[in-house]
Structure formats: structure tokens, C-alpha cells
Amino acid sequence: MALAPEELSRILPIVPILISVLRKGEKRAADLLLSVGDVSDVQDAISTLHEDVNIEQRQFTITQLRFKMYDHENSVWAEAIKTVLTGCAPRLILDEVAAKLLSVYSKNSSELKSNDKVCGAKLGSVLDDLPRTRFQVLAELCAFIRDTSSSSDKLAEVFAKELLAPNGSSNDAVAVELFKLMIEKAEPLFGRPAAVRTAGR
């Protein structure tokens, strides 16, 4: 049975650990986010995370999670990550933050693309409004795509609609361009994202 969007949100704190494990297992690990896994396997993987990992108390380690990940192929875990990130509620990038990001980008796109300091100052100040866990997850996602994907533009299209574009929007082009920039400028926007060693840190 598929989890409700609110239940998917409870899994967000361990997404950076999942990404860390995938980074070590595949040279082009982020490309797996474009694959479509078996629905039943993906739901089983998500249920395992939701039911077996005590997220509220942070009583798990990357080693324990790695053992759980042996139950499925990396492609299944990648699809599980994508399902959590695009299906959780509230959205990973809260609606009010997404609206501010799109507004800043629309007014300053040329300068944001050409100047890392301006990009970090103007977009970074908006991203700082995200709760810490969501900021960290978004940082890891963008760095993961930047470092391990051969198709970052395609992945920007996948995630921009769900994470940035206004609900019901018929024109996602600005959101896609912004997400491409967030991938490219992950370091000036987020610092130096790198998957955490444990979810408690």
C-alpha cells in the first residue's frame, strides 16, 4: 500500500544517507533517478524505511541502513528516493519558499547565472527560510545530480515541476531553468553539501 504524502515526509531525514550509499555504489548514481523501478519493490522499500527505521528517535546508523538496502537493487532505492522527494507533503521546497525563489530568479536570472556571490546571496537567503532538514535534503539532491549524473538537464525537468513549479502551472520552463541553476551552483547556494554520516548530525 502506498504511503500518504504526510507519511513520506517522515522519511526525509534519512534521504541524505540513502544518497550517500548510492554515491558509493554507482559512478553515475543520479542517472538511476531517471529509471522506473518495479512498483511493488519500490513500495516495499519505502515501507521498510517507514516501518523499520525509528526515524523519530534517530536510532539508526548508515551501516544499519546499508544492510537494509541490500534487499533491493540500487535502481529501486533511487526510485524510492524520487517518490519520497516528489510525493511528500508539504512539498520538499515549501510553497512560499518556492514562490520567492521563482520571483528572485525571474528578476535576476542573468546575474544569478554569471555571478556566484550574487547567486549565493540572493537565492541562498531565500533557501535559508527552509527548515534545516529540508535544506539539507535539497542540498544533497542538487550536489548528487551535479556530481553523478550524465543527464542533469533531464533530472532538472523531473524535479522542477514537483518541487518548484506552482501547483497547476501549465508553464514550468522558469522552474526548470531555476532548478538547473541550483544543481550547477550547489556549492555557492548550499555551502559544500556532502552526504551526512548519520541522520542525527
Side-chain angles (χ1 to χ4, degrees):
M1 180 183 295
L3 296 180
E6 294 76 13
E7 293 175 305
L8 292 177
S9 291
R10 295 185 64 239
I11 301 173
L12 284 176
I14 59 174
V15 167
I17 299 179
L18 296 172
I19 288 175
S20 174
V21 175
L22 288 183
R23 272 182 179 270
K24 294 177 180 178
E26 302 274 350
K27 184 177 181 180
R28 292 297 181 188
D31 288 349
L32 295 173
L33 294 169
L34 293 169
S35 63
V36 179
D38 180 82
V39 174
S40 60
D41 285 346
V42 172
Q43 292 303 328
D44 181 65
I46 293 173
S47 294
T48 295
L49 296 174
H50 187 262
E51 295 170 7
D52 296 344
V53 179
N54 191 341
I55 297 172
E56 295 300 333
Q57 299 300 318
R58 302 292 195 270
Q59 293 178 353
F60 60 94
T61 66
I62 191 170
T63 301
Q64 291 170 322
L65 186 56
R66 186 180 289 115
F67 277 116
K68 290 181 180 295
M69 291 179 72
Y70 288 150
D71 292 340
H72 298 288
E73 297 292 330
N74 285 343
S75 58
V76 171
W77 289 109
E79 180 74 7
I81 289 172
K82 184 169 64 177
T83 299
V84 171
L85 296 182
T86 61
C88 67
R91 292 201 298 180
L92 176 62
I93 303 177
L94 303 176
D95 287 345
E96 59 270 25
V97 175
K100 290 179 184 178
L101 288 170
L102 289 166
S103 176
V104 170
Y105 179 77
S106 296
K107 295 174 183 176
N108 306 277
S109 59
S110 297
E111 192 175 14
L112 295 172
K113 291 176 182 178
S114 62
N115 190 315
D116 285 1
K117 288 185 178 180
V118 172
C119 184
K122 291 192 174 182
L123 290 180
S125 63
V126 178
L127 289 166
D128 283 343
D129 290 339
L130 286 172
R132 183 173 180 269
T133 293
R134 290 171 181 268
F135 179 94
Q136 185 180 54
V137 172
L138 181 61
E140 296 301 334
L141 174 64
C142 290
F144 181 52
I145 295 172
R146 178 198 63 194
D147 296 341
T148 70
S149 175
S150 60
S151 305
S152 60
D153 285 358
K154 290 182 180 179
L155 284 167
E157 292 176 7
V158 169
F159 286 104
K161 180 178 180 180
E162 301 297 336
L163 305 187
L164 279 172
N167 290 326
S169 173
S170 59
N171 184 0
D172 303 325
V174 174
V176 171
E177 288 300 316
L178 172 54
F179 205 83
K180 287 179 183 178
L181 182 70
M182 291 168 64
I183 293 168
E184 179 186 347
K185 306 287 188 181
E187 188 165 326
L189 286 177
F190 300 105
R192 304 190 85 176
V196 293
R197 294 172 185 258
T198 67
R201 290 189 176 181

